[in-house]
Amino acid sequence: RVLFGICLAGSLLAMVIFASLLGGYQSLVAAVLSFTVCLLAVVANRTLILIVFKNRLAPAYCTLSGMLLRMALPLSVCLALAWRQSPLLDAGFAYFLIVSYLIILMCDVSNMILKLKIKPAA
């Protein structure tokens, strides 16, 4: 968990610095919003699996529901911003969303791999 937190904090700091250098306040808001949306998607996925499904689903179904939540929430926010013609899209929200999605996906998957207990073949 500590490694996961350090990875997320470091990547958020790098994105915030890059966004502030790139376009000022609106790029900063776009970067933080995109990172937050992607992080909330992972939290929603974990909550759905732990509270609603518990251990009743096969791991494949948990993975599929996780993919759906991780992709649907950020893409729906991006679609809503595009529909409203938000100035955040001009500030690079979609680009920050792609970067945030990949960073958080990498951190989450590596965290899950570290949690796996692999039994050696006998």
Side-chain angles (χ1 to χ4, degrees):
R1 290 184 184 186
V2 173
L3 182 63
F4 183 67
I6 291 171
C7 179
L8 288 179
S11 58
L12 178 62
L13 181 65
M15 275 185 56
V16 164
I17 290 171
F18 181 72
S20 65
L21 292 174
L22 184 66
Y25 179 72
Q26 282 202 346
S27 290
L28 186 64
V29 170
V32 171
L33 180 65
S34 67
F35 199 84
T36 305
V37 166
C38 290
L39 194 59
L40 285 177
V42 170
V43 170
N45 172 40
R46 296 288 174 97
T47 304
L48 181 73
I49 289 173
L50 290 177
I51 293 175
V52 176
F53 294 142
K54 297 183 179 147
N55 288 328
R56 295 178 292 189
L57 287 180
Y61 294 125
C62 291
T63 303
L64 289 175
S65 69
M67 287 172 51
L68 177 69
L69 276 174
R70 281 189 202 135
M71 290 172 64
L73 186 61
L75 289 178
S76 62
V77 169
C78 192
L79 180 67
L81 289 176
W83 195 1
R84 296 182 54 109
Q85 297 176 350
S86 174
L88 287 177
L89 287 176
D90 294 332
F93 177 79
Y95 300 115
F96 288 123
L97 188 70
I98 292 169
V99 171
S100 298
Y101 178 80
L102 292 175
I103 288 171
I104 291 178
L105 181 66
M106 179 188 63
C107 291
D108 188 42
V109 168
S110 63
N111 186 30
M112 291 302 291
I113 288 174
L114 289 174
K115 285 184 179 180
L116 287 176
K117 295 181 181 175
I118 301 172
K119 295 179 183 176

